[in-house]
Amino acid sequence: MPKSATPGDTPVSAPASPRRVKVAIIGSGPAGLTAAIYLSRAELKPVVVSGVPAGGQLMLTTEVENYPGFPESIMGPELIEKFRKQAERFGAEFLDAHVARVDLAKRPFTLDLGGSGKIEADALVIATGADARWLELPSEQRLRGHGVSACATCDGFFFKAVPVACVGGGDTAMEEALFLTKFATHVTVIHRRSELRASRILQERARAHPKISFLFDSEVLEVLGEGSVTGLKVRHTPTGRDQTLDVKGLFVAIGHTPSTEAFKGAIALDPKGYIVTHDITRTSVEGVFAAGDVYDHRYRQAVTAAGLGCMAALDAEKFLAGHA
């Protein structure tokens, strides 16, 4: 005989069945949202798992002046909102959830959203992006978007005729420093080691540039300023000597971390954790496509991410048409 319930017992319900969709998109930055626009217009009813927080790196950006179609510039969060409304207009559905793990061994692919259930998808677009590495200083976090940046290409234009600093010693840092010389009066490269890690050719270019100087064996202790950057407190680690550097901007160029933790072991990643693709957006798993900074560690621009989102969507649409 079945056991009868007693007062205080908590009913145990059967786990909900996974929801089946034609195509799922993981990530809601420019790449994921562009993919959502294209796939919804193709009447494939994509479900976008937006991630927590949603919106990608543009949500941390103030003025965007280099995105086509906005001659007066636009705030990063506002641009993301317009992307999302456009996708919703054509029928894309958004789930404000985080993908904890995936099963890509067979189709349909399974996305485990933790406490938010599971989704099964016949095709998948991964657009989870990459996060810039920061110095983890409270003052740095407070002034992000107000003189502290992780993208010289995005924000260098705002630092015309003022001195700036760039933290890092690799290729990215040298490229950022050289780019900043187009606008800034001077660029001070701050590196925690005694030697640069950048390729020799980039080192030589940076060292030879009259606008670039170096502080080796040094670390930033504090970003100075209230509403904007007014300087840096820097320590020379071998001697413990502190100095104040008069700069109006700080560019942090110490690398990015791709958001691919949920895909480890399920899809091919390179040694740095970026998704490996072939034929632009195709991954090592048939039916799974990647777009944006989750595999593009060279350009890292909103407009290139959007273009890759378009390509991934068209590839996914073609895949689904051939596997109906």
Side-chain angles (χ1 to χ4, degrees), residues 125-172:
V125 174
I126 301 173
T128 47
D131 296 320
R133 295 175 191 156
W134 298 94
L135 303 175
E136 303 301 331
L137 300 172
S139 54
E140 169 202 49
Q141 302 301 310
R142 176 171 53 82
L143 289 167
R144 276 167 62 174
H146 299 278
V148 175
S149 171
C151 180
T153 309
C154 310
D155 300 326
F157 179 82
F158 299 111
F159 295 85
K160 286 185 174 180
V162 296
V164 300
C166 180
V167 176
D171 283 355
T172 299

Side-chain angles (χ1 to χ4, degrees), residues 167-179:
V167 176
D171 283 355
T172 299
M174 296 307 102
E175 290 169 351
E176 299 269 280
L178 287 163
F179 181 83

Side-chain angles (χ1 to χ4, degrees), residues 53 75 124 207 220 243 260 285 288:
M75 301 296 283
L124 179 63
R207 290 179 184 275
V220 177
Q243 66 170 303
T260 53
V285 177
V288 179

Side-chain angles (χ1 to χ4, degrees), residues 14 16 38 43-44 58 105 114 181 190 200 223 258 285 297 315 319 323:
Y38 273 78
E43 299 185 346
L44 291 170
L58 275 183
T181 60
I190 303 170
R200 182 169 297 278
V223 185
V285 177
H297 48 79
D315 288 343
F319 172 81
H323 293 76

